Amino acid sequence: MLNVFKRSFRDQKEVTVEGVELWSVRWTAVKGAFSSDKEQVAEFFTSKEAANEFEKALRDAFKITRNTLNSITVQKETNN
């Protein structure tokens, strides 16, 4: 989905630009042999529905592997 929005750049003139609305699914991955070796990771999607489907699949995978170390968040990415 393309969104059209206005942004001010260095010369302070507002111009209309096209952007892509992004949704992220973020979680903590255990990377090493010990549970303290963690890394924040994310996958990005262009629709909320796709992000929610991925989140559900990820939660199901964590249940199968009995992974209780993760919290999963789905959020709309903002350009601040």
Side-chain angles (χ1 to χ4, degrees), residues 1-4 18-21:
M1 166 186 230
L2 287 179
N3 287 337
V4 178
E18 290 183 1
V20 177
E21 182 176 85

Side-chain angles (χ1 to χ4, degrees), residues 23-76:
W23 293 83
S24 67
V25 179
R26 297 174 184 272
W27 69 99
T28 304
V30 177
K31 301 300 273 185
F34 302 100
S35 61
S36 61
D37 189 7
K38 299 177 185 176
E39 176 181 81
Q40 295 294 317
V41 292
E43 289 288 330
F44 297 89
F45 301 89
T46 56
S47 74
K48 184 177 183 179
E49 294 77 20
N52 287 336
E53 284 296 317
F54 183 80
E55 176 200 19
K56 183 180 180 316
L58 195 57
R59 287 188 189 281
D60 290 345
F62 288 163
K63 286 178 189 175
I64 290 170
T65 61
R66 295 185 175 104
N67 182 342
T68 59
L69 300 173
N70 284 292
S71 63
I72 304 168
T73 60
V74 175
Q75 65 188 39
K76 184 177 179 180

